[in-house]
Structure formats: structure tokens, C-alpha cells
Amino acid sequence: MRIKLHLIRYFYSMMTGYIADNKAFYQPMFFEFPHEPMAYSSSLENNVMLSTQLKLSMQSSHINKNVTEFWFPPGIWCDIFNDKGIDGCMNLTEGISMNMSTKAYEFYLHIREGSVVPMQDGTELAKNYKVSNTADL
């Protein structure tokens, strides 16, 4: 819920623009990387783009699967919600697949090089004002 609150204004702004232009906000990797063969064949349901700036990596179809293979296209990708700072970034000259932990509560959100994603401090909102959903905002 905290991550959703961090990104809610971004999501709403992007979705509004995408709807007006008849585009998909939540899209398969091959929409953004049509010349990458792995974008068509690498676990389409586990690797998605949220607009053109964010890559969501999640595994939601198997309950007892603790490790999942995710595909990353070429470029610089930084894990938004990590405690590693710049060490949470990958500079890839070619697309790669990597195994990452995927317990029931885990997912990964990576920002693409050159992107700006405004966030609000949902943690403070949730803690100080007991916000647990968007209606509470």
C-alpha cells in the first residue's frame, strides 16, 4: 500500500494521458522493445512495463515459487525501492535474464535511464494519518 501511495499521482497522470491517446499504460515488454526477441518469449506475465519509464517484475501465478527468472532489456535500470543506492542499478549492453527472489510479497520496480517519476511520501501519509487506501487521502 505504501508503494501505491508513493506512485499514485504518477499512475493517475500517466493513465489519463494514455487513455486520451488510446495507448496502454500496463503493457507487455515487446510494446516498448519490439526489436528484442526475448521481449516476445520471456515470461510475458512476469515482465511488464508501466508506461515507458517503469519495469514491473513480479510472479503471481505460482504460490510456492521462491525464485523466478526475469528478463531485462538493454539499458540502465535502477531498482526504485532498494537500500543500495547506485549499486541498485544495472547497466546492460544487451538484454539478460536473471533469477530473483519471488516470495508472495515480493516484486521489483525498476526505473529506466533518463526517466523522471515523481513520487509523494506515502510512508509519512500512511503512518501519520492512518491512510490505508486512496479514499483516505
Side-chain angles (χ1 to χ4, degrees):
M1 181 52 94
R2 288 183 185 139
I3 292 171
K4 177 183 176 183
L5 292 175
H6 274 299
L7 295 167
I8 197 144
R9 289 184 181 168
Y10 170 75
F11 287 161
Y12 286 162
S13 297
M14 294 304 291
M15 281 190 244
T16 301
Y18 275 64
I19 289 169
D21 295 336
N22 292 320
K23 294 181 180 178
F25 172 76
Y26 188 88
Q27 56 190 334
M29 296 296 290
F30 61 80
F31 276 30
E32 193 62 27
F33 301 95
H35 303 294
E36 291 289 330
M38 288 298 292
Y40 296 89
S41 61
S42 183
S43 300
L44 298 177
E45 71 278 3
N46 296 339
N47 299 283
V48 295
M49 293 294 293
L50 302 178
S51 75
T52 60
Q53 291 96 4
L54 298 174
K55 180 190 181 297
L56 175 63
S57 305
M58 66 180 177
Q59 192 287 114
S60 60
S61 57
H62 296 87
I63 293 172
N64 294 322
K65 191 169 183 182
N66 292 328
V67 176
T68 303
E69 184 178 350
F70 296 109
W71 179 75
F72 288 86
I76 298 174
W77 296 93
C78 296
D79 188 354
I80 291 180
F81 299 104
N82 73 64
D83 56 358
K84 299 176 187 172
I86 194 71
D87 291 333
C89 295
M90 303 177 286
N91 188 353
L92 306 174
T93 56
E94 60 184 33
I96 64 163
S97 292
M98 60 177 25
N99 290 324
M100 298 166 74
S101 176
T102 53
K103 295 181 177 78
Y105 54 86
E106 292 179 311
F107 66 93
Y108 302 92
L109 193 62
H110 288 82
I111 189 168
R112 188 179 190 180
E113 65 182 304
S115 299
V116 175
V117 176
M119 293 193 287
Q120 64 187 39
D121 191 0
T123 304
E124 287 301 313
L125 283 172
K127 185 172 80 175
N128 293 335
Y129 300 105
K130 297 180 178 39
V131 173
S132 62
N133 59 50
T134 56
D136 290 345
L137 288 173

